[in-house]
């Protein structure tokens, strides 16, 4: 079965522009029909699924290119280790993003509690930057 670029983009919830970009840089194989339009088959879908997964992990285009390049080489222990190392790197990056997200969540929890204290009358309203002075302005460690 073959898919048009529109069908293919819809399958992967992306844009036609993104699909063209991936084919232009050699990440995504496609064929051309009689009108020189890109058409995609099941192999293309397999590659696109891999690209989507790696993008979802936060991989850069360079890392995805390298992964795809390695997948096209002859299978070997060294090749397998190289692909594995890409995922190790992505896991490390994911843990960094997770830590950043947890810091943001902690800050939001602090601010929500602070607003709840203000709204309940437990503390005075010090939340509006237009009312801060040099002495009352929260410092970075307060945030």
């Amino acid at each position: 079965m073959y898919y048009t670029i529109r069908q293919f983009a819809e399958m992967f919830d992306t844009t036609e522009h993104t699909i063209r970009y991936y084919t232009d840089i050699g990440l995504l194989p496609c064929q051309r029909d009689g009108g020189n339009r890109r058409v995609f088959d099941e192999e293309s879908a397999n590659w696109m699924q891999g690209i989507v997964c790696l993008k979802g992990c936060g991989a850069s285009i360079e890392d995805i290119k390298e992964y795809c390049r390695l997948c096209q080489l002859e299978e070997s222990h060294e090749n397998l280790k190289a692909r594995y190392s890409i995922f190790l790197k992505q896991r490390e990056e994911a843990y960094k993003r997770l830590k950043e997200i947890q810091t943001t969540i902690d800050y939001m929890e602090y601010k929500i509690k602070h607003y709840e204290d203000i709204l309940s009358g437990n503390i005075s309203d010090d939340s509006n930057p237009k009312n801060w002075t040099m002495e009352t302005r929260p410092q970075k460690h307060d945030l």
Side-chain angles (χ1 to χ4, degrees), residues 3-68:
Y3 306 97
T4 66
I5 193 167
R6 175 171 289 150
Q7 292 169 323
F8 204 71
E10 288 174 3
M11 282 173 59
F12 290 97
D13 194 29
T14 192
T15 65
E16 293 175 35
H17 174 79
T18 297
I19 301 298
R20 282 188 205 92
Y21 175 69
Y22 289 163
T23 60
D24 289 348
I25 65 171
L27 282 183
L28 181 62
C30 73
Q31 299 177 22
R32 300 284 181 153
D33 67 9
N36 201 32
R37 292 176 297 257
R38 291 172 175 93
V39 291
F40 302 89
D41 59 13
E42 293 306 314
E43 180 184 354
S44 302
N46 293 343
W47 282 102
M48 186 63 185
Q49 186 61 46
I51 293 166
V52 167
C53 288
L54 285 165
K55 280 302 281 182
C57 293
S60 68
I61 290 295
E62 291 76 26
D63 284 339
I64 296 171
K65 280 182 180 180
E66 178 62 8
Y67 184 81
C68 290

Side-chain angles (χ1 to χ4, degrees), residues 21-140:
Y21 175 69
Y22 289 163
T23 60
D24 289 348
I25 65 171
L27 282 183
L28 181 62
C30 73
Q31 299 177 22
R32 300 284 181 153
D33 67 9
N36 201 32
R37 292 176 297 257
R38 291 172 175 93
V39 291
F40 302 89
D41 59 13
E42 293 306 314
E43 180 184 354
S44 302
N46 293 343
W47 282 102
M48 186 63 185
Q49 186 61 46
I51 293 166
V52 167
C53 288
L54 285 165
K55 280 302 281 182
C57 293
S60 68
I61 290 295
E62 291 76 26
D63 284 339
I64 296 171
K65 280 182 180 180
E66 178 62 8
Y67 184 81
C68 290
R69 185 189 73 76
L70 290 166
C71 287
Q72 293 172 354
L73 296 175
E74 184 177 332
E75 290 293 325
S76 68
H77 185 71
E78 292 77 24
N79 182 312
L80 184 62
K81 283 176 60 175
R83 294 191 325 247
Y84 171 70
S85 70
I86 290 171
F87 278 94
L88 288 175
K89 176 184 173 188
Q90 290 315 126
R91 180 179 66 182
E92 183 178 323
E93 292 298 318
Y95 278 123
K96 285 179 187 176
R97 289 192 311 277
L98 181 61
K99 184 177 179 182
E100 291 168 1
I101 290 167
Q102 187 61 56
T103 300
T104 300
I105 290 169
D106 292 346
Y107 173 72
M108 297 307 297
E109 293 295 337
Y110 165 79
K111 291 303 283 185
I112 287 168
K113 173 72 170 96
H114 189 78
Y115 273 90
E116 288 170 349
D117 287 343
I118 293 168
L119 290 168
S120 67
N122 293 336
I123 62 173
S124 61
D125 183 2
D126 62 353
S127 62
N128 193 329
K130 77 176 184 177
N131 299 325
W132 293 342
T133 66
M134 189 184 302
E135 292 81 28
T136 62
R137 180 177 54 228
Q139 300 303 306
K140 184 176 181 179

